[in-house]
Amino acid sequence: MTMSDQTGRPGADTDRSEDPMTNTTPPAGPTPPADAAPPAGPPERATSAGVTTAGVTTAEARTTRAGLARDRLHWFGSRYALVGVWILMAIIYGIVTPHNFLRISTAQAIFGSQSPLLFLSISALCTFVVGEFDLSFAGVMGLAATIIPVLSGLHHMNVALACLIALVSCIACGVVNAFFIVKLGVSSLIVTLGTASLYLGLAELLSNQNTVSVTNPHFAQIALQDFLGLPLSFWYGIVLCAAFAYVIKWTPIGRHIVFVGANREVARLAGINVNRIRVGSYISASIVAALAGIMLVATVGGFDPTASPSYLLPALAAVFLGTAVVMPGQFNPIGTLFGIYFLETGIIGLQLLGYSGWVQDAFYGAGLVAAVTVAHLVRNRTRVA
Amino acid sequence: MPDPARLTVRGLTKTFGSAQVLTDVELSVLPGEVHGLAGQNGSGKSTLIKIITGLYTPDPGALFEVDGRPIRLPVRWPEVHAAGVSVVHQDLGLLDQLTVSENICVGGFPTRLGRINRTRRDELAARTLDRLGVSLSPARVVGTLTAAQRAEVAIARAMRDLTPGSGLIILDESTRALSGADLEHIHQLLRRIAADGSSALMVSHSLSELMAVTDRMTVLRDGRVAGGGMPTSGLSEQELARRMLGSSVEAVTPRAVAGPQRQGAEGQEGPADPGRPAVTVTGLNGPHLADVSFSVARGEILGLTGLPGSGYEDIAYLVSGAQRAVAGELRTGSAKVNLARGSVAACLRAGVVLVPERRDRDGLAFELSMRDNISLPELGKRGRPWFVARRWQQEDAEAAAATLGIRPRAPHILVKQLSGGNQQKVLLAKWLNTGPALLVLHEPTQAVDIGARTDILHALQRAANTGTSILLVSSEPEDLVATCDRILVYGREVGLRQADAATPEQLIEEIYATSEATAGSLT
């Protein structure tokens, strides 16, 4: 987990670390001058008598073609190894239960049912990419998923208005999280653990601890309307992931977010308003969690507030599994998308084999541990490279 | 001497990866002496202590003896501790809510049937304190003690299991929280311990303290012994400073080209080119320094140095907004920044950028690529809110790699995969790329190899030649003399003084002179 704790101001720390792991490379004597092709450097580098140019070692310069190919392979392997595992898993299921698994309906079940979870994982990602930590997103989603049926079902409010109210309430939840964590500096783990339970309690209060349902039949259409063989909610999830990936990769704010996540102090010293980004991450996380709640209610038609904690672990599992794909060692939306359907493939396959009930919990739990382990190992391998 | 040395270390070398941190170090502490271990930050003192206490494994081939008995390497602390070596922690390692007696006896509580025997525990504590000539009630809570008493408790813990007249205690910068009479008090305690026949190894970077309390001294510089077991009585503080700071051990970079305004004197505002004027700092007050004013002319490299601990390093962070000043103002031709706000963004807008000392913590995101790190400060300026192109980032990184000699020349490589020198070049490239008005650097050549050092210093000279003002805050006399047009030396009492040094040795003298002035003004 990247809960970086870099709050110390640089100048305040006058006792410099002598930890050699962080400041290595003592004078290693003059290195041989750049062989083969000296870089088009400025003239004085060549003229300074006796003193060599860059710290070039001959080995570095002699990167062979075979070495390049091996690097390529390693590069590809470290990014897409889990995709291979996924395909392998599908093939095994296909061999074991060809009549059940190799059907369009199975694919539809895998890809069509998971969009609330996908939204929820993206919500988790919002805070994780900036190095924050949030356990309350499932509670926020539960609150949204309760407010909508309570208002529209019990109080006969317009569904759209109910959704809006749910969204605003969830934003308020995000603001509460951000206030305690960013403004007051309380540990994010503790705050969100607490608010997760708080939001769950509020949802139970609103629903009187009953399952509540939406009566408006058109509401389900926004999620379940068929498009290219899959429900609209699936495509919403794809669009959300793509948009998230675009923002992170191709916009200044996205690059700033990545730096805040990678090293908060470096980001601060580059003039980035770190706290604004942290607050933004909690608020956007709650907005996406609210959308997850809307998707959930639209798909299922109602919600049992006590069920919301059960969404926490699958979302975390998917997010961590995602760190082993595409961008090894980093939280990323495409990896998360992959993680969701990887886990769901495993579960559906096991269910088709006749295991049910306990399988889901066991697979998500084991998946989380496996995901974190794989991500950890992948990260170590890139470090050695 | 008939007795064998209490602690002998010989031929000790320690390599981390490709970096040799200690080279053939020799240390010998005699019975009944206070031995000083001196050196600058990064000289290898801490590594040596960590090897003695078993935290690090030395390279094979070293000799390690306690009281003439060889100790197998790597050191297993229980074995050495049983032989009579103990450590006083840097932060003393006391628990405030516990009593003096509990703090002294922790790790060696007298027990009976598995339970702590409180009577014997208090007796042991009282006996230890008594032996040291410290009058302190074992029942007192440590949180209520003065700084000097706390140090006494920590020393008593280290002395607890030593047979009187034997043993060695290691004080790893343990006295840095003390000053004045308190420090004097602890020094007397150490002298008493040594007079009884026990030994002390005292690690410190405070010259005056080492001079005051030690019998002999070993000085480390760049991981090598720059003076082994020198009797303190035959040493002057100046001599010690010279050995710690070193003088021309490395080839000095010749000045390539003088800055266009080498004569640009203080107060003289940068003329010409209104886009890149001089930078003036006035009335800068920080938590550890008072009333600093200076100006950097256009294209000038201004050096700033001082004794370790005088607070001169803070100036780099205060001027760039990284740390909030108490008061102070920075002016460039076009902008005025109130440094008391401590706003990095405001300083960046004024064109003041910082290359911090700790590249791992403050300078670069190690898990991200070289390209991403270099382009970070420019993303907002050169990208549009909805889109940042990759091409210019790639080109900038490639250009930086070529001009600074970053190896390998692969913009996508992660910073953590680069060597220290190359990392430092990436950090420099990141900020040079912004075309700053004032480039502030803190120890830019620390822990880089000699080739990278040369590249970095040349890059500074090139930047100055194109009109960038540079403030080089450094403790490396060679770097300063080789590259700077002007060098200011900061002393806590004397403030900023312009140094008139043509050689690193002269500069060391001048740095040292600031502490003499301090001592003079105190007495």
Side-chain angles (χ1 to χ4, degrees):
Chain A
M1 242 163 270
T2 59
M3 292 170 63
S4 53
D5 180 27
Q6 283 136 341
T7 45
R9 289 186 299 170
D13 184 8
T14 47
D15 179 60
R16 289 179 234 153
S17 164
E18 288 185 46
D19 184 358
M21 302 315 285
T22 57
N23 57 14
T24 47
T25 333
T31 42
D35 52 357
E44 66 256 37
R45 281 164 84 241
T47 54
S48 63
V51 191
T52 51
T53 55
V56 193
T57 64
T58 36
E60 267 175 308
R62 275 194 230 114
T63 318
T64 58
R65 200 165 277 250
L68 269 176
R70 204 171 51 236
D71 286 355
R72 274 285 145 96
L73 195 69
H74 177 255
W75 181 89
F76 190 83
S78 68
R79 276 169 173 72
Y80 299 107
L82 266 176
V83 179
V85 175
W86 189 22
I87 294 168
L88 193 68
M89 184 163 74
I91 290 172
I92 290 171
Y93 282 140
I95 291 168
V96 176
T97 63
H99 300 298
N100 288 330
F101 192 78
L102 298 177
R103 284 159 69 174
I104 299 286
S105 62
T106 306
Q108 282 176 331
I110 291 170
F111 291 105
S113 62
Q114 295 302 307
S115 62
L117 193 56
L118 178 57
F119 273 74
L120 203 55
S121 301
I122 296 296
S123 164
L125 210 54
C126 287
T127 51
F128 286 17
V129 286
V130 293
E132 293 291 323
F133 195 69
D134 187 0
L135 288 176
S136 71
F137 56 85
V140 176
M141 180 201 74
L143 192 61
T146 308
I147 287 175
I148 297 164
V150 164
L151 289 182
S152 72
L154 297 180
H155 299 281
H156 307 290
M157 188 184 273
N158 179 316
V159 175
L161 187 60
C163 289
L164 191 66
I165 291 173
L167 187 65
V168 171
S169 314
C170 290
I171 290 174
C173 293
V175 171
V176 168
N177 283 343
F179 175 77
F180 282 101
I181 295 161
V182 181
K183 183 82 180 167
L184 300 184
V186 186
S187 150
S188 59
L189 188 72
I190 307 296
V191 168
T192 56
L193 193 65
T195 54
S197 188
L198 172 68
Y199 303 149
L200 172 68
L202 289 177
E204 287 173 340
L205 171 73
L206 288 173
S207 67
N208 267 330
Q209 285 173 289
N210 291 323
T211 303
V212 281
S213 29
V214 180
T215 44
N216 187 333
H218 301 296
F219 184 49
Q221 289 301 310
I222 65 160
L224 296 178
Q225 176 73 47
D226 191 83
F227 181 71
L228 299 179
L230 286 167
L232 272 180
S233 61
F234 169 78
W235 301 108
Y236 295 152
I238 298 292
V239 169
L240 182 68
C241 279
F244 196 106
Y246 176 84
V247 168
I248 287 293
K249 267 219 159 309
W250 296 102
T251 67
I253 182 87
R255 302 312 296 161
H256 289 175
I257 284 169
V258 169
F259 270 87
V260 173
N263 188 326
R264 215 174 268 177
E265 189 58 21
V266 169
R268 187 181 78 86
L269 292 179
I272 297 170
N273 191 332
V274 172
N275 282 351
R276 192 186 293 167
I277 285 182
R278 294 172 67 201
V279 170
S281 79
Y282 281 105
I283 292 175
S284 33
S286 63
I287 292 173
V288 180
L291 296 178
I294 294 172
M295 283 300 119
L296 188 64
V297 176
T299 312
V300 183
F303 188 67
D304 172 13
T306 55
S308 51
S310 67
Y311 287 86
L312 181 66
L313 196 71
L316 288 179
V319 167
F320 282 108
L321 201 55
T323 63
V325 199
V326 186
M327 295 158 75
Q330 290 181 39
F331 294 108
N332 68 87
I334 306 301
T336 301
L337 181 73
F338 167 83
I340 294 272
Y341 294 113
F342 179 92
L343 290 169
E344 185 60 12
T345 306
I347 287 166
I348 295 257
L350 287 171
Q351 284 173 343
L352 290 176
L353 285 171
Y355 305 100
S356 60
W358 62 274
V359 155
Q360 200 154 335
D361 286 334
F363 197 83
Y364 280 136
L368 176 61
V369 175
V372 175
T373 309
V374 167
H376 174 75
L377 294 178
V378 166
R379 205 172 314 174
N380 279 358
R381 280 194 63 186
T382 42
R383 188 163 298 154
V384 173
Chain B
M1 233 177 241
D3 284 349
R6 183 129 297 153
L7 173 76
T8 307
V9 175
R10 214 176 294 147
L12 185 74
T13 299
K14 175 67 187 168
T15 315
F16 285 105
S18 62
Q20 207 167 64
V21 187
L22 292 176
T23 308
D24 198 19
V25 167
E26 187 170 342
L27 174 70
S28 163
V29 182
L30 300 175
E33 77 165 346
V34 179
H35 195 101
L37 182 60
Q40 290 196 88
N41 291 316
S43 60
K45 296 185 311 248
S46 289
T47 309
L48 177 56
I49 296 301
K50 281 173 182 162
I51 288 172
I52 293 175
T53 54
L55 212 58
Y56 291 160
T57 305
D59 295 355
L63 175 95
F64 193 108
E65 286 178 355
V66 176
D67 283 327
R69 286 206 323 276
I71 302 278
R72 273 187 302 150
L73 293 169
V75 169
R76 266 140 308 165
W77 179 242
E79 185 184 338
V80 177
H81 188 62
V85 180
S86 53
V87 171
V88 179
H89 291 272
Q90 208 162 48
D91 53 2
L92 303 182
L94 301 177
L95 293 178
D96 281 352
Q97 66 275 33
L98 301 184
T99 63
V100 168
S101 133
E102 284 169 315
N103 268 293
I104 290 177
C105 295
V106 71
F109 285 115
T111 55
R112 204 184 59 177
L113 302 173
R115 282 182 58 221
I116 291 174
N117 184 331
R118 296 193 174 201
T119 326
R120 282 188 39 221
R121 178 196 69 195
D122 291 348
E123 278 169 15
L124 175 63
R127 207 164 52 234
T128 310
L129 288 170
D130 193 47
R131 202 171 79 213
L132 296 176
V134 174
S135 54
L136 201 59
S137 161
R140 282 188 66 181
V141 174
V142 162
T144 63
L145 301 180
T146 66
Q149 287 171 325
R150 294 167 59 84
E152 286 173 342
V153 172
I155 291 172
R157 178 198 288 166
M159 295 292 293
R160 181 191 66 211
D161 295 332
L162 304 186
T163 326
S166 76
L168 166 71
I169 64 167
I170 299 172
L171 295 104
D172 188 2
E173 303 269 8
S174 316
T175 48
R176 61 179 178 171
L178 299 176
S179 59
D182 288 346
L183 193 60
E184 179 64 21
H185 193 72
I186 295 302
H187 287 170
Q188 282 168 6
L189 175 60
L190 287 175
R191 294 303 330 165
R192 283 203 301 278
I193 289 171
D196 284 346
S198 298
S199 309
L201 175 62
M202 184 166 196
V203 183
S204 178
H205 61 237
S206 157
L207 305 180
S208 53
E209 172 167 39
L210 290 169
M211 292 301 292
V213 73
T214 63
D215 297 302
R216 293 194 309 144
M217 245 184 285
T218 295
V219 181
L220 288 183
R221 188 177 66 230
D222 297 331
R224 291 169 192 272
V225 174
M230 303 174 296
T232 308
S233 52
L235 273 176
S236 68
E237 265 189 63
Q238 239 155 317
E239 167 72 12
L240 183 58
R242 196 174 296 120
R243 284 183 188 268
M244 272 171 68
L245 298 171
S247 53
S248 57
V249 280
E250 292 168 12
V252 173
T253 318
R255 262 196 72 76
V257 192
Q261 297 204 353
R262 184 151 193 198
Q263 308 311 319
E266 199 148 355
Q268 192 181 317
E269 294 292 327
D273 193 350
R276 290 271 186 74
V279 179
T280 311
V281 173
T282 42
L284 179 65
N285 283 274
H288 303 296
L289 49 92
D291 202 28
V292 169
S293 299
F294 60 90
S295 69
V296 194
R298 184 174 173 276
E300 183 188 32
I301 305 181
L302 176 66
L304 187 57
T305 186
L307 275 179
S310 65
Y312 75 93
E313 302 102 326
D314 289 1
I315 294 173
Y317 299 93
L318 295 168
V319 160
S320 56
Q323 211 181 327
R324 193 186 292 259
V326 174
E329 189 184 78
L330 180 140
R331 269 172 201 274
T332 64
S334 54
K336 197 168 90 172
V337 181
N338 179 2
L339 295 174
R341 290 247 180 77
S343 160
V344 178
C347 287
L348 287 177
R349 274 196 299 277
V352 180
V353 304
L354 169 72
V355 172
E357 179 197 19
R358 292 281 302 273
R359 56 176 173 260
D360 57 326
R361 196 190 62 186
D362 309 324
L364 297 169
F366 272 37
E367 300 285 330
L368 299 179
S369 71
M370 167 179 149
R371 178 192 62 206
D372 288 347
N373 270 287
I374 290 176
S375 63
L376 171 67
E378 295 281 272
L379 291 172
K381 237 178 294 168
R382 293 177 64 176
R384 272 165 259 164
W386 60 90
F387 181 70
V388 196
R390 275 288 152 78
R391 176 179 277 189
W392 64 264
Q393 300 185 43
Q394 191 78 12
E395 285 168 357
D396 282 7
E398 275 165 6
T403 44
L404 286 165
I406 298 171
R407 291 293 177 283
R409 276 159 87 169
H412 67 268
I413 198 168
L414 301 186
V415 167
K416 69 181 177 190
Q417 295 169 326
L418 296 171
S419 74
N422 283 311
Q423 288 170 354
Q424 191 67 32
K425 290 179 190 175
V426 171
L427 177 54
L428 184 61
K430 166 182 167 183
W431 290 113
L432 275 178
N433 205 26
T434 62
L438 176 67
L439 175 66
V440 182
L441 306 104
H442 185 206
E443 305 287 5
T445 59
Q446 194 182 58
V448 304
D449 60 79
I450 186 165
R453 170 179 176 268
T454 311
D455 284 349
I456 288 165
L457 295 182
H458 278 148
L460 296 186
Q461 290 174 337
R462 280 201 304 277
N465 289 344
T466 60
T468 305
S469 303
I470 294 176
L471 177 64
L472 176 60
V473 180
S474 171
S475 63
E476 305 281 344
E478 288 90 0
D479 289 2
L480 291 164
V481 169
T483 45
C484 292
D485 302 306
R486 220 160 29 107
I487 301 170
L488 300 178
V489 181
Y490 178 79
R492 198 165 278 183
E493 300 297 323
V494 295
L496 280 179
R497 283 206 304 213
Q498 182 154 349
D500 182 26
T503 65
E505 290 80 5
Q506 287 170 355
L507 182 57
I508 292 169
E509 301 286 335
E510 296 221 16
I511 293 171
Y512 179 66
T514 61
S515 96
E516 258 178 352
T518 310
S521 66
L522 279 176
T523 47

